[in-house]
Amino acid sequence: MAIQLLRADLQSLRHYAAATGLIFYPCAVSMGLMLWSTPNTALLARFGVAAFFCLAFSLGLALTGRALPFKLVRRLYGGLLLLLLGVYTFSLGFHYRLYGQLFGVPTLYSILESTSTEASEYLRSVTRPDVLGFAVVLVIPLLFATRPLQGWFAGSARYRLFNGLVGVSLLVGTAWFTLPKPNLQSHNPWLFIYKGVEESLAQRTLIKSAYANIYRGTPISAHANSAETVTHILVIGESTTSRHMSLYGYGRQTTPRLDSMRDSLNIVADACSSRGNTTEALKEMLSFATRERPELLFQRPNLIQLMNSAGFRTYWLSNQQKVGNSDSWSEILSSSANERAFVNRRGWTDGISLDDVLLPELTRVLGDSASRRFIVMHLLGTHTAYALRYPSSFKKFDSQQDIPSEVLRQNTGLRRLSINSPVAQFNDYDNAVLYNDHIVASILAAVKGMLRASVTYLSDHGEALGEVDGFVTHVDGPAPKQVYQIPMFFFTTPQFSTDASSEIQALQQNLGKPFQSDQLIHTLLDLYGIVHPYPQPERSLASRQFTAVSRFCDTLTAAR
């Protein structure tokens, strides 16, 4: 009798393991697709933790289903579970084959925002045999599991109360720990959909409210003082501090391509962001809002609106999310652009969307028929997690060489985001800067042969790597000065420099003066020769009247 009970218990354990494995299957597919597309040791460490919690949640679902009363209820539970797993896995494969990325909050947001007509038109346009075939292949293992899984849930259950208590405890405990951590819940289909839909609905409310308050005043009166064909590109970097660029004297050669172009660049020697996070920085870079007068964001037109009024065709090309916890203002500020392309559908928490995906988009835009173009390119740059921001071919720095020893002593990990050591952090960040150099230089190369063109590059804010008191990452508020120190430079073709000689001369005279990024809109409008109702020449680097202002970053402590 005891042997029979033991055998029955072992059989139950095998069934539990099989049921848990099947429920875990979409999580494994999600992680497997990412590792297949971009093998990365940083992902392996993240996935180990995420897989543990996804397995625990899957076991909770299996135990809870086994504890339900009545055979019919358990059978329905098993069938619904399989149906949802199949739909999710199919959608995952379909999206991945189509875009080369897993879906994220922007995908859910787009689904919620789409009408039935838009959705059907979209599906007709993207459905291809290879896409459908790939998605179906991923679902096949679940089809083979239908009968045994249904039989398991339909069978009589021993220890029902115990199963229920443990199952619910696992579900609640795992969800409580996982939901606040995007890199953990993003691979769990149940928690991802719950959290993603919740966030998408919140984003929709926020964005609609912002749309209602964005400038809708009197018709915008702006015009260009020249009708010549011209292209202007504004490249906005992410989390890149000038302190880690050899272009600014950093000990490691992290910007070799830009270094070689130094003589053709007008480099701002001392630039700081007005804010320490992306959302607030973008608001003040692309509008007349400042740290002191944030309300001007809603009282005056933004840069895109002014360029539209001046007769330019405007474009927004972004490798950041369209929406998300810290991305919604990208959607709002870009809404006035004539064309938009958001190529990152996963985000930055654990997704890999390298910035070179923007280069084909730039080539496409430069090949259109518009005579006057204004293009904003928003990079993912050197955002955390740093190891996910560059391909393996750019892994140049992998030792402690050239890292100041006093920095490593200070970097105690008190606020470190990465599980890596301080040495690995510095190496990953510098490799990301090296790749960023490649991207920005490639953008410059794309316009170098044009007759009239300009490229302006700056980062939204900087980043701290533990150089002061072990502080790592960025924050909008008191922080090490590195969080605000940013690179900024201008590239102009010879003919454009001749046409705008007065502005270029003024710019070159002001390159050594302290600059804050909430003065950017004045600088660009003057450089581009845009006449508008809100001139403030004292805030423009392209004006001889430019006057340095008191900056927030000058109140902060910088590393030696």
Side-chain angles (χ1 to χ4, degrees):
M1 185 68 176
I3 294 176
Q4 289 178 337
L5 288 174
L6 179 61
R7 286 176 177 172
D9 286 340
L10 289 174
Q11 183 71 9
S12 294
L13 286 174
R14 285 197 293 270
H15 280 303
Y16 278 129
T20 301
L22 288 169
I23 298 171
F24 176 76
Y25 176 71
C27 184
V29 169
S30 175
M31 296 179 184
L33 288 175
M34 285 192 67
L35 287 172
W36 180 32
S37 61
T38 312
N40 190 294
T41 53
L43 284 178
L44 284 173
R46 286 167 167 260
F47 286 177
V49 179
F52 172 80
F53 284 100
C54 195
L55 269 172
F57 195 86
S58 300
L59 177 59
L61 286 173
L63 291 171
T64 302
R66 187 68 171 155
L68 292 172
F70 310 115
K71 184 181 294 186
L72 178 61
V73 174
R74 292 195 297 275
R75 187 181 291 275
L76 289 173
Y77 177 89
L80 180 61
L81 206 61
L82 273 172
L83 176 63
L84 293 175
L85 289 171
V87 170
Y88 184 88
T89 303
F90 180 88
S91 303
L92 195 70
F94 190 95
H95 190 279
Y96 179 84
R97 181 63 177 172
L98 198 60
Y99 298 111
Q101 296 180 39
L102 305 179
F103 43 59
V105 172
T107 304
L108 296 179
Y109 179 86
S110 298
I111 293 171
L112 293 174
E113 284 292 287
S114 297
T115 64
S116 57
T117 302
E118 290 172 338
S120 62
E121 290 177 351
Y122 167 77
L123 287 174
R124 283 197 299 270
S125 68
V126 300
T127 301
R128 307 191 310 257
D130 63 310
V131 174
L132 287 173
F134 185 79
V136 168
V137 166
L138 291 180
V139 175
I140 287 175
L142 291 174
L143 299 179
F144 282 106
T146 301
R147 289 187 63 183
L149 190 62
Q150 276 286 62
W152 169 237
F153 281 122
S156 60
R158 301 172 63 200
Y159 314 120
R160 181 169 290 143
L161 179 61
F162 175 77
N163 285 349
L165 289 174
V166 175
V168 171
S169 298
L170 279 172
L171 292 176
V172 173
T174 305
W176 176 82
F177 187 84
T178 302
L179 281 173
K181 300 175 174 59
N183 60 307
L184 295 183
Q185 52 93 352
S186 62
H187 294 283
N188 184 321
W190 320 99
L191 298 182
F192 166 71
I193 292 174
Y194 164 74
K195 190 68 174 179
V197 169
E198 178 189 58
E199 186 176 332
S200 296
L201 292 173
Q203 289 291 311
R204 184 164 64 175
T205 300
L206 185 153
I207 288 170
K208 285 184 176 179
S209 173
Y211 276 155
N213 290 291
I214 207 71
Y215 181 79
R216 297 286 187 273
T218 56
I220 302 169
S221 174
H223 65 273
N225 58 21
S226 171
E228 299 287 357
T229 297
V230 67
T231 296
H232 297 301
I233 302 177
L234 170 61
V235 184
I236 302 174
E238 168 67 63
S239 303
T240 304
T241 176
S242 55
R243 290 186 63 93
H244 279 253
M245 299 176 69
S246 53
L247 188 68
Y248 281 84
Y250 184 53
R252 285 175 158 179
Q253 193 178 27
T254 54
T255 55
R257 291 187 65 182
L258 292 176
D259 293 345
S260 68
M261 303 171 66
R262 180 185 297 273
D263 292 343
S264 61
L265 303 177
N266 288 305
I267 303 170
V268 181
D270 183 11
C272 279
S273 56
S274 60
R275 296 287 187 169
N277 67 20
T278 301
T279 296
E280 300 305 320
L282 283 181
K283 290 180 186 179
E284 295 172 6
M285 289 165 61
L286 300 175
S287 79
F288 291 102
T290 65
R291 280 189 67 94
E292 296 73 30
R293 297 198 61 190
E295 73 279 2
L296 292 179
L297 173 68
F298 302 104
Q299 296 175 4
R300 295 180 183 178
N302 60 48
L303 182 59
I304 303 289
Q305 292 172 321
L306 285 166
M307 296 303 286
N308 285 336
S309 178
F312 283 75
R313 184 162 183 81
T314 53
Y315 309 81
W316 186 284
L317 311 179
S318 176
N319 192 27
Q320 302 236 359
Q321 287 192 122
K322 186 177 183 180
V323 294
N325 282 328
S326 59
D327 299 286
S328 55
W329 276 94
S330 295
E331 160 71 5
I332 297 162
L333 290 168
S334 68
S335 62
S336 300
N338 299 125
E339 289 188 35
R340 299 191 299 170
F342 288 88
V343 299
N344 188 342
R345 292 165 175 82
R346 186 64 174 173
W348 53 266
T349 55
D350 66 344
I352 295 181
S353 181
L354 299 176
D355 282 329
D356 62 2
V357 295
L358 288 178
L359 299 180
E361 292 291 333
L362 176 62
T363 300
R364 176 184 63 80
V365 167
L366 293 178
D368 73 10
S369 59
S371 61
R372 291 192 289 175
R373 293 174 290 228
F374 176 60
I375 306 166
V376 177
M377 300 185 69
H378 194 187
L379 308 181
L380 198 50
T382 57
H383 201 298
T384 53
Y386 314 134
L388 306 184
R389 301 298 162 240
Y390 61 90
S392 57
S393 57
F394 280 80
K395 190 172 184 179
K396 174 182 177 181
F397 307 106
D398 59 1
S399 70
Q400 193 169 326
Q401 185 178 1
D402 301 328
I403 300 178
S405 57
E406 66 272 12
V407 169
L408 295 178
R409 286 196 298 270
Q410 290 175 343
N411 193 330
T412 58
L414 296 177
R415 298 192 60 175
R416 192 164 67 244
L417 294 183
S418 170
I419 62 172
N420 295 330
S421 68
V423 173
Q425 262 188 12
F426 264 73
N427 289 334
D428 285 336
Y429 187 80
D430 287 349
N431 287 327
V433 175
L434 179 67
Y435 181 64
N436 186 70
D437 168 74
H438 163 71
I439 296 299
V440 177
S442 297
I443 296 170
L444 297 180
V447 303
K448 194 172 183 180
M450 300 177 69
L451 185 62
R452 294 181 183 85
S454 77
V455 178
T456 302
Y457 169 76
L458 78 167
S459 185
D460 56 356
H461 52 76
E463 189 86 339
L465 274 295
E467 299 94 337
V468 177
D469 299 329
F471 185 101
V472 176
T473 189
H474 56 268
V475 65
D476 186 35
K481 192 172 183 178
Q482 289 88 315
V483 170
Y484 293 83
Q485 290 177 306
I486 58 173
M488 182 176 181
F489 60 76
F490 303 84
F491 171 83
T492 54
T493 60
Q495 186 59 55
F496 178 78
S497 297
T498 299
D499 295 344
S501 58
S502 177
E503 289 76 12
I504 296 296
Q505 289 173 11
L507 174 67
Q508 291 173 340
Q509 290 178 5
N510 292 323
L511 291 175
K513 297 179 181 178
F515 178 83
Q516 187 164 273
S517 62
D518 58 6
Q519 301 167 306
L520 178 68
I521 189 170
H522 298 282
T523 299
L524 294 184
L525 291 172
D526 281 357
L527 181 65
Y528 300 163
I530 307 299
V531 180
H532 60 97
Y534 314 101
Q536 286 185 265
E538 70 278 6
R539 296 181 64 83
S540 167
L541 279 176
S543 168
R544 297 181 188 278
Q545 299 177 48
F546 175 74
T547 304
V549 298
S550 175
R551 302 181 303 173
F552 180 72
C553 69
D554 293 326
T555 67
L556 305 172
T557 302
R560 294 187 294 274

